[in-house]
Amino acid sequence: MEINKKAYEAYVKEVTPVNKKWPNIVKAFLVGGIICTIGQFSTNMFMNGGLEKEAASAWTTLLLIAASVILTGFNIYPQIVKFGGAGALVPITGFANSVVAPAVEFKSEGQIFGIGCKIFTIAGPVILYGILSSWLLGVIAYVLKAFGIL
């Protein structure tokens, strides 16, 4: 059966979802901005409480991760991601969500075959290639320093 090229193009155009680029960009900007504003506010509060900048930043990171994990557990963070797209996925909260979401989804399959096997299905490649690339860059920096180039 041969399909007419124009009919096929019309069909593809009909079933392909319309990408609303600018509204998506604005939503991502707003959601990402709100997350970053909460992070900056937390850092400022920790510093005003007497912590050094590095310690305040570490506590802010922990706070954002904990908030993301809790919101994912209550199925709220996926709604934020649905609305804000990359604005919710790019910050560290998105990474925490990518670790927790499979654990929540597969918990009914048990601790080992559910949570244990599925928890890093999304975040695993990020962790693997992050470690691999940092190791590779470390080796390159070591060699460049050994030859006096760096």
Side-chain angles (χ1 to χ4, degrees):
M1 182 175 152
E2 194 171 315
I3 298 176
N4 183 343
K5 185 176 180 182
K6 287 184 181 182
Y8 178 72
E9 287 175 3
Y11 170 74
V12 169
K13 189 173 184 178
E14 180 183 322
V15 297
T16 303
V18 178
N19 185 0
K20 298 174 185 173
K21 184 193 269 184
W22 288 107
N24 290 342
I25 290 171
V26 170
K27 288 189 236 179
F29 178 78
L30 288 174
V31 170
I34 289 169
I35 292 170
C36 291
T37 301
I38 292 169
Q40 187 62 54
F41 177 78
S42 301
T43 301
N44 291 347
M45 293 303 294
F46 286 129
M47 287 174 64
N48 288 339
L51 292 177
E52 297 290 325
K53 185 174 182 173
E54 285 186 29
S57 297
W59 278 104
T60 298
T61 301
L62 291 173
L63 179 71
L64 288 173
I65 290 171
S68 174
V69 167
I70 291 167
L71 291 174
T72 299
F74 286 114
N75 201 31
I76 296 169
Y77 203 82
Q79 300 301 317
I80 296 170
V81 170
K82 191 174 185 181
F83 175 79
L89 290 175
V90 172
I92 195 166
T93 53
F95 184 76
N97 173 63
S98 72
V99 173
V100 174
V104 171
E105 183 177 349
F106 294 102
K107 73 178 182 180
S108 62
E109 295 181 22
Q111 293 290 320
I112 296 176
F113 292 114
I115 296 172
C117 291
K118 302 290 185 177
I119 195 164
F120 291 113
T121 52
I122 298 172
V126 175
I127 295 168
L128 170 70
Y129 292 113
I131 291 170
L132 181 65
S133 62
S134 64
W135 177 83
L136 184 61
L137 290 173
V139 169
I140 291 170
Y142 179 79
V143 169
L144 291 177
K145 282 183 182 179
F147 286 106
I149 298 172
L150 195 67

